[in-house]
Every structure is written in C-alpha cells, then in structure tokens.
Amino acid sequence: MKQLFRDVDGGPLCPEGSVACIGAFDGLHLGHRALVRHAAARARALDVPLVALSFEPLPREFFAPAAPPPRLMLPRARAAGLQALGADLVGLLRFNARFAAMSPDAFAARVLAGRLRAREVWVGPCFRYGSRRAGDLATLRASGEGLGFSAGEIAPVQLDGERVSSTRIRAALLAGDFDSAARLLGRPYAISGRVVRGRQLGRTLGFPTANLRFGGKVPALQGIYATRVHGVGDAPWPSVSSFGTRPTVDGLEPLLEAHLFDFSGDLYGRRIEVEFVARLRDEEKYPDLPTLVAQMDRDAAQARDILMQAPQRATA
C-alpha cells in the first residue's frame, strides 16, 4: 500500500490503525530520516501502516508569501523520499487559511484519530502545531489519552555539536559548501524533476540543456555549478548547470538548466536528478550573447576539471 493524500476530511484511511510521524521534511535530512525510520520500526512492530504527515505549502510559505523560505526539494520528491524511507501513506495536507485556523485538539481528533486511526504519533524536537502554534508534545499527549493514541519525540540528531536542520543545509548550499550539505543530508544535494521544453536558446548557442522547473518555489541556491546528472546513463553524467532566472535573456522564472558534456539524445519528458558538486560563480547579466557564450565556455572547462578530480558519492 503506497498512497498520497491531501485532504483533512474524509473517511478513515487506516481502519485497523496506524503509526504517524509529522514534520516539514524539507530536504529529508539526517534528523528527518531518523524520525521516519523510528516510526517505521514502530509500525512494523504493531503490524500497521506508517503514515508520514507533512504540509503543502509549508506553513512558513503560507504565512510569508511575499518572502517565502527557500525550499530544498519539491513536493513530488519529498513524497517519493518518504515512501522510500518506509512510509505506506504520505499526507501532504493542504495548508490553507482553514487548516491554519484548526486548533490542536481539532487536528488530533479529525486527522490523527479520525482520518488515520493513529495508535502512536512521533514527532521531532521542538514540535509545534495547530492554530498559532499552540500545540506541543504535552498537548499532543493529552489529546492522545482521550483519543486512543500515544505520542513521543525522538532525540535531536547532532552533527559537529549542533542539531541537524534544514536551516543549516540552506546556509551550506548558499555558501557553496556541498560537502557540509551532504553530511547533513546523508547524501549529496540534488534536485529531481521531469525535463521540460525551454526556449531552446542554449541549443542555438552550442550548449543544449536539460531543463527542470522548480514549481514556483524559491530555490535554496542560485548560480553556476559543476554537476552530475543521474537517470541518463548507467553512471552519473558530468555536466555544468545554471540555476537562476537567466538575466541576460530577460528570464523571470527560476530554471535549472543542465548541459551534459558530450551527450546527444532527446531527454524531454524524462525524470532526471541533478547532483550539485561545486559552485563556480554567481549568475550574471552579460551585455550580449557572444560575451555570454565565452563565459559558458570557461564555465564548462572549469566544471570538467572539477568533476575529473571530485570523487563520486553514493546517492542513497
């Protein structure tokens, strides 16, 4: 049983009971993985499904639409990652004004007890929920006593003396410190998606690209990068990528454009994953296309040199 659901309302999804874990799960870093794996072990022990509950949009995006926090991953990748960690059902609950106004008691009754028939609920450190973030672990446990579930918190996962967090990962990515980001994530940082058609300008400039959109979200990094593309051949394909709005050609939407070295073929519609290896420079606006192409040549040569020396990491 592998399902994705979005709605708070509806009949029971797990009539025989479930174990639920709750979190933003942006990035699925080491802390998130510890929570999901712990909950998965409890679900197996009770012989019930594991439900991973998250939100879309994330609460911070809903409450700050003019300046949303950068996202580490898109909803589809988040759902797939949670399923790969052992979730039988993934809830990306619609976070809207109605949901934001729901009290902690109503959330426990309608979602955890009513929709999921939860027997156990597991959360990470500093968990808050419900209208005005009024609920915490003590509130959840009190609700569970009357609704038939227990609630627990896993210990924080520490790395280098600090708690692993999405905030630390965003800072590492912004600084181009992909080694630190990979240690916090437990894998190299990568963005996956389906290749879409662009303006095909890169092809006319001698740099055809595989383009991924970022779903209207604010990316956690921007610039020019040495990358590897997964999902094209038997091994990761060396590439140079631009992630940004393409100011030289008056672009607006953030677009990830990966130029695969010495590749010929049609990738439109294929799902690929772009792994970030090293940051080369900021995105810039150039006075004309010849100046841009000259810089792209330099970027490609630098990326090739870096990728020849950089060891490949496991992506699991």
Side-chain angles (χ1 to χ4, degrees), residues 27-293:
L28 288 178
H29 57 57
L30 294 177
H32 297 146
R33 289 167 177 255
L35 172 59
V36 178
R37 286 171 174 153
H38 176 83
R42 292 300 307 146
R44 288 194 298 270
L46 295 174
D47 194 24
V48 295
L50 169 63
V51 184
L53 275 185
S54 193
F55 314 96
E56 189 58 43
L58 295 177
R60 289 178 60 198
E61 289 176 319
F62 175 80
F63 288 116
R71 283 285 285 267
L72 296 173
M73 66 194 324
L74 294 177
R76 175 166 179 157
R78 188 163 35 126
L82 288 166
Q83 290 173 339
L85 289 170
D88 299 295
L89 284 82
V90 175
L92 297 184
L93 301 179
R94 290 184 177 87
F95 200 96
N96 50 28
R98 179 171 171 245
F99 188 92
M102 188 182 300
S103 70
D105 287 344
F107 175 79
R110 291 173 58 188
V111 180
L112 300 177
R115 199 89 161 99
L116 304 182
R117 297 288 195 264
R119 297 189 193 178
E120 295 182 6
V121 179
W122 291 92
V123 299
C126 306
F127 174 72
R128 308 289 300 199
Y129 70 106
S131 177
R132 301 183 181 276
R133 293 169 49 87
D136 57 14
L137 181 61
T139 310
L140 191 61
R141 282 174 169 161
S143 293
E145 288 180 4
L147 294 169
F149 64 81
S150 63
E153 174 186 276
I154 69 161
V157 175
Q158 302 273 337
L159 187 66
D160 300 331
E162 296 182 54
R163 183 167 70 89
V164 173
S165 69
S166 297
T167 299
R168 286 183 67 188
I169 296 166
R170 293 185 189 104
L173 293 176
L174 188 63
D177 187 354
F178 293 108
D179 288 336
S180 292
R183 292 177 62 229
L184 292 162
L185 288 163
R187 67 197 186 284
Y189 181 67
I191 292 174
S192 61
R194 194 175 299 280
V195 178
V196 299
R197 290 188 181 274
R199 294 166 58 182
Q200 298 188 314
L201 178 61
R203 188 178 302 276
T204 67
L205 300 177
F207 284 88
T209 58
N211 302 327
L212 302 182
R213 292 197 173 98
F214 206 60
K217 306 297 184 182
V218 176
L221 72 180
Q222 192 172 54
I224 314 302
Y225 301 89
T227 53
R228 295 188 178 104
V229 175
H230 300 255
V232 174
D234 294 334
W237 205 287
S239 56
V240 61
S241 295
S242 169
F243 199 2
T245 57
R246 308 166 312 287
T248 302
V249 295
D250 299 321
L252 296 174
E253 175 194 12
L255 192 69
L256 175 54
E257 300 173 292
H259 171 65
L260 285 68
F261 298 137
D262 309 314
F263 177 84
S264 62
D266 185 355
L267 295 177
Y268 292 123
R270 183 179 297 192
R271 291 197 66 82
I272 64 171
E273 184 178 63
V274 180
E275 172 197 342
F276 293 81
V277 178
R279 191 174 195 279
L280 304 184
R281 62 178 178 86
D282 291 335
E283 188 179 42
E284 298 180 43
K285 183 171 183 176
Y286 293 94
D288 50 48
L289 291 180
T291 307
L292 172 62
V293 171

